[in-house]
C-alpha cells in the first residue's frame, strides 16, 4: 500500500488510521472543549473546507476583513488530531496546540474522527457540531485524487484496487459506511448536531437568474439557525457568492496553495472539480453494479439517504 516515503495504515482501536492522526491521541482526548466552540466533523473529502469557510464567514466575515486575506483556512479552523512535523516539506502542524491557542469566539475546530473517537469534553460541554456527509461514490473519487497528490497520505495505487479498499474500509479514517452511519445514529441522542450533505450545498444553475445560489443559500440559512445567528439576506447572498467553487479555487486562503510541498497540485489540485456525479467518469459499469449491491447490504438505515446526481 505504501510507496517511497508514503505512510502505512494501521489498525487503531478498530479503525484504519495513519500515524499523523494518532500521534497526539492522548492530548487530543484530553482537549477541553467549550460550550461556545463549533466542531466541524466529516469523513475526509466530504466538503470540510467548504463548510469550514462558510462557518468562518458567518462568524467573522463581517468584522475581521484582515482575517479573510491573511489567514489560510487550515489555520483559522485547526485540524484537531493532525500532527505533522516535516520542516523539509514546509509542514509543521499540531492541530491540538493550534486549537488550544485560538483566541476567537467561537473557536471553530475541524476533525475527521469517527464519532466514537471524539474527545468526551465536546459531549460534556454540549458543543455545537456540524457534520457534513457526501455520497460515497463521489467521496471515493475525491479521496482517490487527494491520495494521489497529498504526499503525506498512503499511496492510492491503481483505481481498481482503491475501489476495493474503499468498500472494505481500508482508508485513512476507516470505513465511509461506518463513519456516516455512526454520526447519523448520534443525532438521535445528541441534539446539538447539525447533519448536512455536500450535495445540498451545490448550486443547481437555473436559466432563471432569481433562483441562482438558491441551494447554498438555503443551507446557509439552516446553518445560521442552528448556530443561533441572524443573517440578513444581503450577507447570506454575499457569503453564497464567496463560497462558490471558482471563488474558493482562486482564493489562496481556501485553496491550500499556501501549504507547501505536502500537496502536489501538478498531480491534482485540492479544489479539483467540486461536482456531484464525477464518479460516472471513474466507475466502470461492473464497478457500479458491485458498488450498488454492496451498498444495499451496508446501508440498512433507510432514513439516511444520499444523492449521487443533482
Ligand atoms: S479534506 O482534505 O478532507 O479537508 O477535503 P474536503 O474539504 O472535505 O473535500 C474536498 C472536496 O470538496 C470540494 N469542494 C467544493 N466543491 C464545491 N464547491 C465548493 N465551494 C467546494 N470547496 C471544496 C473539493 O473540490 C473536493 O472535491 P473534489 O470532488 O475532489 O473536487
Amino acid at each position: 500500500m505504501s510507496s517511497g516515503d508514503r505512510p502505512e495504515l494501521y489498525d487503531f482501536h478498530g479503525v484504519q488510521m495513519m500515524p499523523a492522526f494518532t500521534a497526539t491521541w492522548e492530548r487530543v482526548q484530553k482537549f477541553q472543549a467549550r460550550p461556545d466552540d463549533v466542531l466541524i466533523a466529516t469523513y475526509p473529502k466530504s466538503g470540510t473546507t467548504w463548510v469550514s469557510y462558510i462557518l468562518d464567514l458567518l462568524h467573522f466575515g463581517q468584522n475581521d476583513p484582515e482575517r479573510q486575506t491573511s489567514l489560510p483556512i487550515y489555520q483559522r479552523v485547526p485540524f484537531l488530531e493532525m500532527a505533522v512535523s516535516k520542516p523539509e516539506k514546509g509542514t509543521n502542524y499540531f492541530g491540538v496546540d493550534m486549537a488550544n491557542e485560538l483566541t476567537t469566539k467561537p473557536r471553530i475546530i475541524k476533525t475527521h474522527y469517527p464519532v466514537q473517537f471524539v474527545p468526551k469534553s465536546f459531549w460534556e460541554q454540549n458543543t455545537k457540531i456540524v457534520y457534513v456527509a457526501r455520497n460515497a461514490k463521489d467521496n471515493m473519487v475525491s479521496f482517490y485524487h487527494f491520495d494521489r497528490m497529498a504526499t503525506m497520505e498512503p499511496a492510492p495505487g491503481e483505481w481498481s484496487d482503491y475501489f476495493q479498499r474503499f468498500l472494505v474500509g481500508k482508508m485513512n479514517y476507516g470505513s465511509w459506511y461506518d463513519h456516516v452511519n455512526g454520526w447519523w445514529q448520534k443525532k438521535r441522542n445528541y441534539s446539538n448536531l447539525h447533519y448536512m450533505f455536500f450535495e445540498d450545498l451545490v448550486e443547481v444553475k437555473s436559466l432563471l437568474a432569481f433562483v441562482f445560489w438558491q441551494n447554498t443559500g438555503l443551507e446557509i440559512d439552516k446553518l445560521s439557525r442552528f448556530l443561533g445567528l441572524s443573517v440578513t439576506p444581503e450577507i447570506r447572498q454575499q457569503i453564497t457568492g464567496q463560497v462558490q467553487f471558482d471563488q474558493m479555487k482562486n482564493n489562496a486562503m481556501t485553496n491550500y496553495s499556501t501549504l507547501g510541498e505536502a500537496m502536489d497540485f501538478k498531480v491534482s489540485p485540492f479544489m479539483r472539480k467540486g461536482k456531484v456525479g464525477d464518479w460516472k467518469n471513474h466507475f466502470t459499469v461492473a464497478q457500479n453494479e458491485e458498488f450498488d449491491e454492496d451498498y444495499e447490504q451496508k446501508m440498512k438505515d433507510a432514513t439516511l439517504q444520499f444523492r449521487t446526481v443533482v
Side-chain angles (χ1 to χ4, degrees):
M1 189 185 300
S2 82
S3 78
D5 61 357
R6 296 289 195 117
E8 298 272 0
L9 293 175
Y10 74 110
D11 185 303
F12 185 76
H13 299 295
V15 179
Q16 292 289 304
M17 295 288 293
M18 49 181 254
F21 302 104
T22 56
T24 49
W25 172 256
E26 277 81 20
R27 292 181 50 223
V28 170
Q29 289 307 306
K30 287 190 197 131
F31 180 75
Q32 283 306 307
R34 298 179 192 148
D36 60 359
D37 288 341
V38 178
L39 182 70
I40 169 160
T42 61
Y43 189 73
K45 314 319 291 180
S46 303
T48 330
T49 313
W50 198 358
V51 176
S52 297
Y53 189 39
I54 294 173
L55 290 171
D56 187 76
L57 288 170
L58 279 170
H59 283 287
F60 310 114
Q62 300 303 311
N63 53 14
D64 193 350
E66 205 191 319
R67 176 180 178 86
Q68 302 308 324
T69 52
S70 61
L71 211 53
I73 193 71
Y74 52 85
Q75 286 177 6
R76 291 182 210 180
V77 180
F79 185 176
L80 185 61
E81 66 270 20
M82 182 161 171
V84 178
S85 181
K86 285 200 173 167
E88 74 285 3
K89 296 220 153 133
T91 314
N92 191 43
Y93 194 104
F94 287 89
V96 67
D97 294 334
M98 291 166 65
N100 276 318
E101 284 159 17
L102 281 179
T103 54
T104 54
K105 247 177 186 250
R107 304 183 299 181
I108 307 172
I109 298 164
K110 156 182 169 177
T111 185
H112 286 318
Y113 274 161
V115 69
Q116 70 274 20
F117 282 7
V118 171
K120 67 176 189 315
S121 63
F122 284 98
W123 313 120
E124 288 167 354
Q125 296 295 320
N126 199 29
T127 303
K128 287 193 169 64
I129 303 180
V130 176
Y131 185 79
V132 191
R134 184 178 193 181
N135 82 78
K137 293 179 180 179
D138 284 323
N139 207 142
M140 185 197 303
V141 168
S142 181
F143 213 163
Y144 171 68
H145 288 291
F146 182 70
D147 284 356
R148 287 173 56 234
M149 69 85 155
T151 54
M152 57 169 294
E153 284 276 313
E158 293 297 318
W159 164 250
S160 53
D161 297 334
Y162 198 83
F163 174 89
Q164 296 299 337
R165 269 178 51 205
F166 187 93
L167 263 47
V168 295
K170 286 225 159 113
M171 312 288 296
N172 186 26
Y173 288 99
S175 156
W176 175 93
Y177 308 87
D178 292 347
H179 209 284
V180 298
N181 277 308
W183 278 97
W184 185 251
Q185 299 297 325
K186 189 73 187 176
K187 245 165 58 81
R188 301 214 166 111
N189 58 24
Y190 189 77
S191 58
N192 245 354
L193 172 56
H194 180 72
Y195 198 110
M196 58 191 289
F197 297 90
F198 181 102
E199 293 73 24
D200 292 342
L201 270 167
V202 174
E203 288 301 321
V204 180
K205 293 262 165 71
S206 158
L207 288 175
L208 301 170
F210 65 86
V211 296
F212 271 29
W213 315 134
Q214 183 186 349
N215 299 342
T216 313
L218 280 178
E219 292 307 304
I220 291 175
D221 271 347
K222 287 191 218 158
L223 254 182
S224 318
R225 275 199 297 278
F226 171 70
L227 297 166
L229 300 172
S230 72
V231 174
T232 63
E234 292 73 32
I235 291 176
R236 182 189 56 190
Q237 201 180 348
Q238 186 190 331
I239 296 177
T240 298
Q242 284 170 290
V243 304
Q244 293 309 307
F245 182 81
D246 290 341
Q247 296 290 319
M248 285 183 63
K249 189 178 173 80
N250 292 324
N251 180 348
M253 297 299 110
T254 55
N255 65 14
Y256 277 81
S257 59
T258 51
L259 196 64
E261 286 177 37
M263 295 179 184
D264 186 348
F265 282 14
K266 289 196 288 306
V267 175
S268 182
F270 183 87
M271 298 290 299
R272 191 183 60 90
K273 286 194 179 171
K275 295 256 185 286
V276 182
D278 188 39
W279 61 271
K280 291 181 185 167
N281 298 315
H282 293 74
F283 282 41
T284 64
V285 172
Q287 281 172 337
N288 197 35
E289 282 170 10
E290 183 181 350
F291 180 96
D292 287 347
E293 209 174 293
D294 179 73
Y295 190 86
E296 219 172 288
Q297 297 302 314
K298 289 188 176 126
M299 301 292 284
K300 297 282 187 210
D301 187 342
T303 62
L304 180 55
Q305 294 284 340
F306 287 86
R307 288 186 292 149
T308 55
V309 286
V310 286

